[in-house]
Amino acid sequence: MYVYDEFDRAFLQERVTEFRDQVERRLAGELNEEEFKPLRLMNGVYLQLHAYMLRVCIPYGTLSARQLRALAAVARKYDRGYGHFTTRQNIQFNWIKLAELPDAMADLAEVGIHGIQTSGNCIRNTTTDPWAGAAADEVEDPRLYAEVIRQWSTLHPEFTYLPRKFKIAITAAKHDRAAVRVHDVGLRLHKRDGKTGFEVMVGGGLGRSPYIGKTIRDFLPEEDLLSYLEAILRTYNLGGRRDNIYKARIKIQVHEMGAEAFAQKVEAEWAEIRDGALKLDKAALDAIRDRFLNPALEELDDAPAALTAALSDPDFARWHANSVAPHKAKGHAIVTLSLKPVGGPPGDATADQMDAIADLADEYAYGEIRVAHEQNLTLPYVRQKDLPALWAKLKAIGVATPNVGLISDIIACPGLDYCSLANARSIPVAQKLTERFADDARIADIGRLHLNISGCINACGHHHVGHIGILGVEKKDEEFFQITLGGKGNSKARIGELIGPAVAEGEVVDVVERLVETYLDLRTSPAETFIAAVQRLGTDPFKERAYAPR
C-alpha cells in the first residue's frame, strides 16, 4: 500500500489544528450552524438525524492493519463501538460528539487517514477494484493511478466548489468490480500495442436521474490522464447547472448536450493543456510507485495438502467456493470477509471485529485489508495453506458467512435510522431479508443475485443497479418501497426497471420471495442466473407473480 510522505503527514496535522479551532468557535457560539456547515463538510462531518456523523476516507479502499486498529479505537473511544463501511470504500461513525471530533481526527491523522473531501461539491475518494494488485484477471495494478488522482485532486483550487459532488472510479480487470459505468468519470485501464492507457467514460451516476456512463475516448495514453481529467472537470465546472441541485451533476450535462458534443468541448479544452505541467512522465509515476510497499509474496504451490484435506469439511468447502478467489500469484488466494451476517446491519463492523481482522491480516495476509463497494472487506494476499486456519478464526468473529454475491449479501444505505434525507428505513428491511434467506443451501441454490436497498432517491444503496432493487419512498407519512428488476453494475451496466406500485414495509420481504420463486420456477437450469433469466423473460412474469392477489 502507499505510504504517506512528510508533506502528507504535516498537512493532516495542520488540518486537525484548523478544525479544532473551528469546533471551539462553534461550541462557544462564535459560529452558528450555517456558518459552521461548510467548514465541517470539508472535513467529512455531516449533521444527521440524531448526531454528527464522521465519514473517513479510505483511499481506493486500501487499509493497513495499523489503520484498521485506529478505526476500531475511534469506534470504541468516541462512538458506540462500531463503524459502517460504505459503497464509496469509506467508513462512517454515526455517534461522535462534536466536542470530541477533533480528538478523533487527530488519532486518525497519526496513521494517515482523514475525512477530507468525503463530502462537499468536490472530487470525492477515487474508488477501485478491491482485488487490485492481486486479481488474476487484471492488466496492471490500478492503485498507482488512483493515487495519482488523489494527489492531483486533493484541495484542487479550481475544483473545490464544483456544481455538485464528483466521483471517479477505475478498474484494470476483465471483470469490473468497481462499477465504473455508474460514476461521473469511469476509467478502464487496458493495453494497446503494449502501451498502457484508459477507456474514459463520463456522465454515469445514480440518484434521482440514473444514467450509464458514455465512452468519450477508447484509449487515452497514461501520460495524459491528469490533463484529460482536468479538461473534463473544467468543462463540467463551466457548464454544469448551479441553479438546480437536482440537475447539477455532470450526468445531466452530458445527457442534455449529448456525449459527442460534450466530448468535443473536452477535446478542445484538452488541446490547450495536454502538453503542459500535468503531463505524467516516467519519473513522476516511478516516484509514486516507489512509495507503494507491496508484500514480497512467497513462492508457493497451488492446492497445498492442508487445503486439500480441509475441503473434505462441507462447511469449509462451501465457504471456500463462495468467498475465496484466484490470485495472480501461485499458492495464494483473495479472501472476502462478509459483513452481512443473518439479522445484522449490512456493512457494519464492531470495534472488536476490526481489531481481530487487523490481527488476522498481520498473521495471514501481509498486514493489508481492502474495503469493497459492496460493503464487505477483503484480504488480498492470503497463502492457500493458511485458508483453513484463517476460516476458523473468521468464523469465530462472525465474518465468514458464505453469502458473498448471493441474495443475503445486501448493499444498503443507513436509511431513516440515521440519515436526515431518507424517506424510509433500509436496515430493518435488509435484516428481515437476511433472516428469510438464511439457509446456506437455499441461497446457494438461488445462486448469484445482487439485492440493493436505498432509503431515498439519492441511491446511496445503489438500488438502480441491483438485480433486485428496493427504494424507500414516503406515502401519506408511511414507509413504502418500490421494486426494480434487471439492474447491473458491471461492465454491462444497466438501470433496473420499475415493476409496479410501491408496497408497504410489511410486504417487501414476501414480494422479494415471490420474485425469487418465479426465477426458480422459470429458469432453464440452475446454471441460468437470476439476472440472465430476467433478461431472457423480461419483467412481466415476475411482475405478475409479485403483485398477484394473496
Side-chain angles (χ1 to χ4, degrees), residues 2 5 8 146-155 288 291:
Y2 184 80
D5 59 18
D8 281 307
E147 175 59 27
V148 168
I149 294 170
R150 183 195 72 83
Q151 295 189 18
W152 160 77
S153 64
T154 299
L155 300 191
I288 295 175
R291 296 198 67 83

Side-chain angles (χ1 to χ4, degrees), residues 390-400:
L390 174 63
W391 169 68
K393 294 178 181 179
L394 294 175
K395 190 167 63 166
I397 61 172
V399 294

Side-chain angles (χ1 to χ4, degrees), residues 188-233:
R188 182 180 69 87
L189 191 151
H190 61 113
K191 301 278 190 180
R192 178 177 290 179
D193 299 327
K195 186 174 177 58
T196 298
F198 304 88
E199 176 188 0
V200 182
M201 294 152 270
V202 298
L206 304 178
R208 188 175 297 271
S209 303
Y211 291 104
I212 303 302
K214 305 291 194 302
T215 298
I216 62 170
R217 256 199 173 257
D218 291 324
F219 190 83
L220 176 76
E222 66 175 356
E223 62 266 24
D224 296 320
L225 174 62
L226 292 187
S227 60
Y228 201 77
L229 288 176
E230 185 105 355
I232 291 172
L233 266 295

Side-chain angles (χ1 to χ4, degrees), residues 410-444:
I410 297 170
I411 294 175
C413 71
L416 194 55
D417 286 309
Y418 297 98
C419 183
S420 57
L421 301 176
N423 298 313
R425 293 173 297 166
S426 303
I427 293 171
V429 174
Q431 290 172 309
K432 291 172 185 174
L433 282 163
T434 61
E435 289 164 354
R436 181 69 61 90
F437 295 97
D439 181 75
D440 289 343
R442 184 187 185 199
I443 66 172

Side-chain angles (χ1 to χ4, degrees), residues 494-540:
R494 54 178 289 180
I495 304 300
E497 179 182 336
L498 182 65
I499 64 170
V503 299
E505 180 184 5
E507 301 175 44
V508 175
V509 177
D510 290 336
V511 168
V512 170
E513 187 159 43
R514 291 199 287 272
L515 294 172
V516 171
E517 289 171 349
T518 303
Y519 156 66
L520 294 174
D521 289 344
L522 299 181
R523 67 185 180 183
T524 55
S525 74
E528 184 179 41
T529 62
F530 179 90
I531 189 64
V534 172
Q535 290 175 317
R536 175 175 61 86
L537 296 164
T539 60
D540 286 347

Side-chain angles (χ1 to χ4, degrees), residues 150-173:
R150 183 195 72 83
Q151 295 189 18
W152 160 77
S153 64
T154 299
L155 300 191
H156 193 300
E158 192 173 345
F159 306 140
T160 300
Y161 297 100
L162 294 166
R164 200 70 173 84
K165 58 187 176 182
F166 200 91
K167 300 177 180 180
I168 301 172
I170 179 171
T171 186

Side-chain angles (χ1 to χ4, degrees), residues 77-147:
K77 183 176 180 181
Y78 303 106
D79 206 276
R80 295 188 177 179
Y82 67 94
H84 175 73
F85 289 97
T86 77
T87 54
R88 195 95 217 120
Q89 296 182 312
N90 294 322
I91 187 171
Q92 295 179 179
F93 296 106
N94 292 297
W95 298 100
I96 300 181
K97 296 180 177 66
L98 177 58
E100 295 180 343
L101 270 167
D103 290 336
M105 290 180 174
D107 291 351
L108 294 175
E110 288 295 322
V111 297
I113 46 182
H114 56 81
I116 299 166
Q117 292 188 198
T118 60
S119 58
N121 294 336
C122 57
I123 302 170
R124 301 286 183 89
N125 182 29
T126 296
T127 55
T128 191
D129 187 345
W131 299 358
D137 64 338
E138 76 178 8
V139 172
E140 193 175 312
D141 189 341
R143 291 176 302 156
L144 168 66
Y145 303 97
E147 175 59 27

